[in-house]
Amino acid sequence: MSGRDEKPEAEETEAGTQTLMRGVAPITLRDRLSVLAAAPLAPRAAQKRCDMGLFDLESRRQIDLVDELRRMTRKAARNPEPSATGE
């Protein structure tokens, strides 16, 4: 029997019957489940932002008190203001 006499395999899908090429096996339920099992986990509900500790973006925008004091000290050393006594 030659390859031309063989009837090609067919697979039922949601879109209808699909004919498979020679050498291509139909996708089984086991194949579909193994793909789903290998997929990364996804949350079931929307996740809340982590706004605390290292992940708090608003706290990163705050001015550090120590850095601000150093900046003010450097500025005062560069531009001394005259005192009220004129010294």
Side-chain angles (χ1 to χ4, degrees), residues 27 30 37:
I27 298 174
R30 180 183 188 139

Side-chain angles (χ1 to χ4, degrees), residues 34-80:
S34 65
V35 168
L36 290 175
L41 294 177
R44 292 188 179 121
Q47 301 294 299
K48 294 180 182 177
R49 293 179 53 195
C50 184
D51 287 337
M52 63 177 69
L54 292 173
F55 306 106
D56 187 4
L57 298 178
E58 290 301 318
S59 67
R60 292 181 187 181
R61 292 188 184 116
Q62 294 177 1
I63 297 173
D64 185 20
L65 181 62
V66 174
D67 290 339
E68 186 65 17
L69 288 173
R70 287 179 185 157
R71 185 189 67 78
M72 291 172 66
T73 304
R74 276 186 255 131
K75 183 178 175 184
R78 275 188 253 131
N79 303 323

Side-chain angles (χ1 to χ4, degrees), residues 2 13 19 28 32 41 66:
S2 69
T13 65
T19 305
T28 63
R32 294 178 197 276
L41 294 177
V66 174

